Amino acid sequence: LSVGYDHIDLKTCFDNQIVIGNTPGVLTNTTAELALALMLATTRRIQEASIAVKEGEWGCWKPEWLLGQDIADSTVGIVGFGSIGKAVAKRLSSFECKNILVSHTRKPSDEDLQLSPDV
């Protein structure tokens, strides 16, 4: 099960009368939200903290324990600036990140660059 069809041999499917369906955009927001969730979990060390609580390591105050890093004002690389890359950049704009956009298929438009004014 997948959304795209780049990995499917279309000629073989056509030759064998196999119907291929495509559902563009159906997982764009889902994927962008998951990417942002993973960034937050990583920078804020959520999994480490969860394990520490489960293993009873959460104790008295430790000033810099599991502090993590801010996403706000950080530089984030977005490889691929199709619909998913744009959706990730849009979500990151609320954190005022500097986005580095890399796309081999097209140059970002002026509208795209509004999502990342520092690029």
Side-chain angles (χ1 to χ4, degrees), residues 54-74:
K54 290 175 186 174
E55 293 180 354
E57 294 177 23
W58 195 274
C60 63
W61 180 67
K62 301 173 193 172
E64 294 187 23
W65 188 59
L66 297 173
L67 189 58
Q69 295 179 327
D70 289 342
I71 286 182
D73 298 320
S74 65

Side-chain angles (χ1 to χ4, degrees), residues 64-90:
E64 294 187 23
W65 188 59
L66 297 173
L67 189 58
Q69 295 179 327
D70 289 342
I71 286 182
D73 298 320
S74 65
T75 301
V76 178
I78 300 174
V79 179
F81 206 61
S83 60
I84 294 171
K86 277 181 154 180
V88 171
K90 182 177 179 180

Side-chain angles (χ1 to χ4, degrees), residues 12-53:
T12 299
C13 291
F14 180 79
D15 291 346
N16 292 288
Q17 298 180 346
I18 299 171
V19 178
I20 301 298
N22 186 28
T23 55
V26 73
L27 293 177
T28 299
N29 289 328
T30 303
T31 305
E33 289 171 9
L34 178 60
L36 189 58
L38 291 171
M39 284 185 235
L40 288 166
T42 302
T43 57
R44 287 292 163 199
R45 302 174 66 182
I46 301 297
Q47 184 177 14
E48 291 174 74
S50 177
I51 291 168
V53 169

